[in-house]
Amino acid sequence: MKADKVLEILRLHIPADAVAYCFDLWKSSPFTLKLTRSRQTKVGDFTSRRTKSHPQITLNHDLNPYLFLTTYIHEVAHLKVYLQFGSRVDPHGEEWKTTFTELLVPLLWENVFPEEILHELRRHMINPKASSFADTALTQAFRKFDKNAHQFAILSDIPEGSIFKLQGRYFKKGKLRRTRVLCRELQSKRDYLVPADAQVSDVQFSLL
C-alpha cells in the first residue's frame, strides 16, 4: 500500500496531533489499511493474510476520530505482537496488553483526546480489555462524539421485549447473556446474540 494513501486516511480520520505518530507506526511496520462499512460486531480487525509480508488492518469508516485512533493503535498492537511472536501467544494476552499500552501512552494528552475520553482511557489502560466496548464507561465517553448518536439507543438501555432495528432488520430483545443479548429476528424467527452495547434504532418499547 502506498504511503500517501495511508497518510490521506489518517489525516481524514484521526486528530491532527496524532497523524505523524500513527504514520510513523505504519512506516516502521507497513500494512494494508482498509476502510470498511459500519460493522455492529466490531470496529476494526487485524489479519495476517497467511504471511507476515501481507498484514491488513481494517477500520469502520464512520468511527469518530477518537475511537478511530484508539482502534488503529489497538490493531497495530496486534500487528507488532504477531511480527514478534507469530500465532504462539493469546491474541489479547499479556504481550498484546503491554504493546497496546506502550503504543497508546504517548497519545494520552489533552491535545489529542477530549478530557471526557482521556479520563476513562487512562483508567482503561491500567488493564486494557480485548474490546473497548466491554468497558461501559469508556464506550459512553466515545459515543458522546458520534455525529449521529442522538438517532440511536443502546441495546442494554431498552427494556426486554422491545422491538428494534439493527442493520436493516427488526429484532425482539430477549435475555442478557454476559455481554450479549439473545434477540429474535422477527422475519426469520432465528435467534442471534447481539452485543449489549450495540447501537439500535426505530425502537418500539415493550409495555411489560
Side-chain angles (χ1 to χ4, degrees):
M1 186 172 188
K2 293 183 178 180
D4 58 348
K5 180 60 177 177
V6 174
L7 188 56
E8 178 185 358
I9 291 173
L10 295 176
R11 284 173 172 165
L12 287 173
H13 290 275
I14 67 174
D17 285 344
V19 170
Y21 176 79
C22 290
F23 189 48
D24 284 342
L25 290 180
W26 180 86
K27 289 190 292 184
S28 68
S29 303
F31 53 87
T32 298
L33 179 59
K34 181 180 178 182
L35 300 182
T36 73
R37 60 178 175 78
S38 178
R39 296 169 291 187
Q40 284 288 341
T41 56
K42 59 183 176 181
V43 292
D45 64 15
F46 161 75
T47 54
S48 61
R49 303 178 80 179
R50 297 185 182 179
T51 66
K52 292 185 179 181
S53 59
H54 291 94
Q56 175 178 279
I57 287 174
T58 69
L59 297 168
N60 291 11
H61 77 281
D62 57 350
L63 303 180
N64 70 57
Y66 313 111
L67 182 55
F68 193 103
L69 172 58
T70 305
T71 307
Y72 177 88
I73 299 298
H74 177 120
E75 303 304 341
V76 170
H78 279 304
L79 168 63
K80 298 288 189 182
V81 171
Y82 178 75
L83 293 176
Q84 183 175 356
F85 299 101
S87 302
R88 301 189 303 274
V89 298
D90 186 328
H92 292 102
E94 291 304 317
E95 296 84 0
W96 172 80
K97 290 183 179 183
T98 298
T99 304
F100 182 32
T101 302
E102 289 175 349
L103 294 180
L104 191 62
V105 162
L107 295 171
L108 297 182
W109 298 98
E110 291 82 358
N111 63 318
V112 177
F113 289 101
E115 181 57 39
E116 303 98 306
I117 293 177
L118 191 59
H119 173 74
E120 298 298 342
L121 199 50
R122 284 172 172 166
R123 174 191 54 76
H124 178 86
M125 294 310 295
I126 295 172
N127 184 25
K129 301 179 184 297
S131 169
S132 61
F133 293 128
D135 185 328
T136 301
L138 179 59
T139 298
Q140 292 175 347
F142 276 130
R143 283 185 169 155
K144 287 180 182 178
F145 296 88
D146 288 348
K147 291 181 180 179
N148 300 316
H150 65 284
Q151 299 177 7
F152 297 94
I154 306 303
L155 180 57
S156 60
D157 291 341
I158 66 176
E160 183 179 334
S162 297
I163 306 300
F164 63 90
K165 187 178 182 180
L166 177 66
Q167 295 182 336
R169 295 184 291 172
Y170 283 91
F171 296 82
K172 184 175 183 179
K173 180 180 177 180
K175 298 289 186 182
L176 178 66
R177 294 187 176 180
R178 299 184 66 184
T179 62
R180 294 176 181 267
V181 180
L182 185 65
C183 300
R184 173 151 295 189
E185 203 258 310
L186 298 185
Q187 184 173 1
S188 68
K189 308 300 183 184
R190 294 179 61 185
D191 291 333
Y192 294 86
L193 285 171
V194 181
D197 282 323
Q199 290 180 306
V200 301
S201 62
D202 201 10
V203 177
Q204 302 166 40
F205 291 106
S206 169
L207 297 180
L208 299 178

